[in-house]
Amino acid sequence: DIVLTQAPLSVSVTPGESASISCRSSKSLLSSKGITSLYWYLQRPGKSPQLLIYQMSNLASGVPDRFSSSGSETDFTLKISKVETEDVGVYYCGHRLEYPRTFGGGTKLELK
Amino acid sequence: EVQLVESGGGLVQPGASLKLSCVASGFTFSDYWMSWVRQTPGKTMEWIGDIKYDGSYTNYAPSLKNRFTISRDNAKSTLYLQMSNVRSEDTATYYCTRKDIYWGQGVMVTVSS
């Protein structure tokens, strides 16, 4: 199974500042079709997960462009610019490259 | 509006069986693969499996394959998760999801004697 390792476990950010979350994969997530199968999710407190980013760098519908993602085949970074109150929650990376799908352990974002 | 509503959770004894349902609305259910994902009390996310739009093909997490079965009834726009011989480690919130874009509100399952 592909192991996704997120860092840090938690991050505390001043509103208006930026935050970055890392996700490292044990295997290349670049598919034979040239698509990098890395996804980012946000789970706000008490809510269901929400898709933020698909195929490494594409914003899901309705997601503000304060969110961005980049990376290589195995190392990825989610960046949140100008953090707002609504960004608080747990961020997960996940892949859809092959079965079984797996998720990272999560990174909790809090406000200072 | 796309909606996914799970039900069937609750407190269940170890070794028992339980069937979760997910009723879909707001889209043509029979056009989409559907998945189940669970989240443990410690917030670990685990993919359970998915099912093809016509129900002809399923995939499972290897660790759950022998105890969990995913099925669907397209006439009822309903997705199911049959859980058998449940264990304490199956205690989690269970979500159904369509392509990770749409998620249900989740249903809690607690396995305890």
Side-chain angles (χ1 to χ4, degrees):
Chain A
D1 299 1
I2 294 174
V3 177
L4 298 177
T5 303
Q6 288 185 232
L9 288 178
S10 65
V11 59
S12 184
V13 185
T14 299
E17 298 295 312
S18 296
S20 291
I21 298 170
S22 167
C23 176
R24 177 166 292 179
S25 174
S26 62
K27 176 181 177 179
S28 169
L29 298 184
L30 181 62
S31 74
S32 58
K33 297 181 180 179
I35 294 171
T36 303
S37 186
L38 188 280
Y39 294 70
W40 288 100
Y41 308 83
L42 165 60
Q43 186 174 34
R44 296 186 173 97
K47 301 295 185 182
S48 301
Q50 170 194 359
L51 179 67
L52 294 175
I53 303 283
Y54 64 96
Q55 296 172 0
M56 189 177 73
S57 59
N58 299 287
L59 280 178
S61 176
V63 176
D65 59 7
R66 299 183 292 101
F67 292 88
S68 63
S69 172
S70 61
S72 62
E73 296 182 16
T74 58
D75 289 274
F76 309 95
T77 301
L78 174 70
K79 183 176 179 181
I80 312 162
S81 303
K82 299 178 182 177
V83 168
E84 299 183 3
T85 304
E86 66 179 22
D87 301 336
V88 166
V90 181
Y91 290 79
Y92 297 92
C93 58
H95 79 86
R96 298 177 69 100
L97 181 71
E98 62 188 28
Y99 291 110
R101 298 179 50 200
T102 55
F103 296 89
T107 295
K108 186 174 185 179
L109 186 145
E110 301 174 315
L111 297 182
K112 285 183 180 176
Chain B
E1 178 192 5
V2 172
Q3 283 198 319
L4 300 171
V5 180
E6 301 97 338
S7 62
L11 177 63
V12 59
Q13 291 196 333
S17 295
L18 191 66
K19 190 171 187 177
L20 306 182
S21 301
C22 169
V23 177
S25 60
F27 65 100
T28 303
F29 182 70
S30 58
D31 284 350
Y32 293 90
W33 285 72
M34 296 293 295
S35 304
W36 286 99
V37 174
R38 69 183 183 182
Q39 185 174 37
T40 67
K43 301 302 182 183
T44 297
M45 296 282 288
E46 183 178 17
W47 176 81
I48 296 170
D50 60 17
I51 185 167
K52 193 177 180 179
Y53 43 82
D54 60 357
S56 63
Y57 192 67
T58 51
N59 296 286
Y60 296 95
S63 61
L64 301 175
K65 185 174 184 177
N66 293 333
R67 298 189 298 116
F68 287 17
T69 302
I70 297 173
S71 61
R72 64 193 296 162
D73 184 336
N74 285 344
K76 295 182 178 180
S77 295
T78 303
L79 176 71
Y80 300 103
L81 177 65
Q82 177 72 53
M83 307 166 59
S84 62
N85 190 24
V86 297
R87 307 165 180 168
S88 58
E89 53 263 40
D90 295 324
T91 294
T93 297
Y94 288 74
Y95 295 97
C96 64
T97 174
R98 191 194 101 182
K99 277 283 196 176
D100 289 357
I101 298 173
Y102 299 100
W103 295 70
Q105 84 285 357
V107 61
M108 286 191 62
V109 173
T110 302
V111 181
S112 175
S113 55

